[in-house]
Amino acid sequence: MRKDEEWKNYFYDNARYADLVNGAAFGGQQVLTADSLGDLDVQTGFVREPGGGTGRARRPGSRAKAGRRQGGTKYRDMVRKAVFGEGSAVIGIELEELMDYSMPLRDMYYSVGEYEKQASQVRSRARTEYKGLKGGGFLYRFPKGTLLPPVMTVILYCGKEDWDGPRTLHEMLDFACVPDEMRKMVPDYRINILEVRRLKDTGIFRTDLRQVLDCIRLSDDRTALKSLVEGDPYYRRMEEDAYGVVACYIGIDELLRVKENNRNGGKINMCSALREMIAEGRAEGRAEGRKEGYKKAMRRGSKKRKQERVRMVRSMLERNMAEQDICDIIGCTPGFVEKIRQTM
């Protein structure tokens, strides 16, 4: 849940939202801009107009929680309206950390929810604005020629395993005994996955999304990560929300603990924070090593002292000393003496 919240806060910036879509759908071409994106009202289906120059969407938490049912449908992690000239489309982002082998079905369900909202809006307007409807158009309140904005989803997959799940609805269906003619008539549905850890070129991204994705890609290789961070000036003045996302993959507790020590004018110095985190880890490792060494030494000393006591008791028994005298000299119990006597 922490990762979801950090990502949603990060993509509150529409410039980053547009950057992800431009990279995933258009190969890095600058088709979308921050001002071409606007919010959707998930309660009513009515669209808030984009623009206004803010480049910002509503704050996380202002829309329905991902996966929550509303009116029999489900809604995505994040969703925006994108304007293309006089037309528009609905573009969603789904965040995935683990493999979901039902993803085509789930994504299709989300898309249906978006289309149903649009259809609901058309039906609401049809009751008051459209005159002269007849037949099916009147019965279903859906006028002939109505066109809905298309819906697209980018699945941002940050999991460590390669995505080996289905990428189409057909890959989830059992066609083994179904005639080919029927298969051709079963509608398919394809999902769009961006596998962050398999990206070969993050240069297609123009915002600090590139640096965030690079950190995630290299989060398991501290040497490569350190080289990356020290080689890019951006990481010396990193945006706080970007730092929050990266911390979730590198070490949330460690990086948050050192964050305030590396703040400068509202920016975070990721380079020094990472060095401090690594130094703390090494210091903790040395301290733990010293602690473990002390424990081992104590165990060795305890074992040596016990062996010495056994040797002394044996020597006294061999000299036929009284049991009580042995206990008084050594400071042991009669049972300890008797146990050693039985081994002689």
Side-chain angles (χ1 to χ4, degrees), residues 179-213:
D180 287 343
E181 291 78 7
M182 181 177 176
R183 174 173 181 159
K184 294 176 183 178
M185 297 184 69
V186 176
D188 200 0
Y189 184 88
R190 179 177 59 83
I191 59 178
N192 307 299
I193 300 179
L194 184 68
E195 293 189 70
V196 173
R197 297 177 189 266
R198 314 294 169 253
L199 285 173
K200 301 298 184 183
D201 178 21
T202 56
I204 59 176
F205 302 106
R206 307 297 178 84
T207 67
D208 61 3
L209 179 62
R210 175 173 67 83
Q211 284 86 357
V212 168
L213 299 183

Side-chain angles (χ1 to χ4, degrees), residues 11 44 152 253 270 283:
F11 280 123
T44 65
M152 185 193 84
D253 295 331
M270 179 75 177

Side-chain angles (χ1 to χ4, degrees), residues 20-32:
L20 176 66
V21 177
N22 285 333
F26 305 113
Q29 297 182 56
Q30 300 303 288
V31 176
L32 288 178

Side-chain angles (χ1 to χ4, degrees), residues 72-83:
T73 58
K74 286 187 175 182
Y75 299 97
R76 306 177 188 281
D77 286 341
M78 291 168 281
V79 64
R80 301 280 196 278
K81 176 189 177 182
V83 175

Side-chain angles (χ1 to χ4, degrees), residues 305-343:
R305 286 192 297 272
K306 184 177 179 180
Q307 290 173 342
E308 181 63 20
R309 294 177 74 198
V310 170
R311 187 190 65 76
M312 292 175 65
V313 170
R314 280 176 173 274
S315 178
M316 292 177 181
L317 287 174
E318 288 173 352
R319 297 176 185 177
N320 295 318
M321 290 181 65
E323 183 179 277
Q324 189 58 50
D325 291 340
I326 295 175
C327 290
D328 292 342
I329 295 172
I330 300 299
C332 62
T333 64
F336 181 74
V337 175
E338 182 59 31
K339 186 176 180 180
I340 295 173
R341 188 197 307 275
Q342 291 176 4
T343 64

Side-chain angles (χ1 to χ4, degrees), residues 2 16 21 82-83 104-105 121 131 139 144 151 154 185 192 201 205 230 236 242 247 256 259 270 295 321:
R2 179 61 182 265
R16 292 164 172 164
V21 177
V83 175
L105 186 62
Q121 181 182 4
K131 306 297 183 181
L139 179 63
K144 179 181 177 180
V151 177
V154 175
M185 297 184 69
N192 307 299
D201 178 21
F205 302 106
E230 291 181 347
R236 292 179 176 84
L256 292 183
K259 182 172 77 171
M270 179 75 177
K295 288 180 178 179
M321 290 181 65

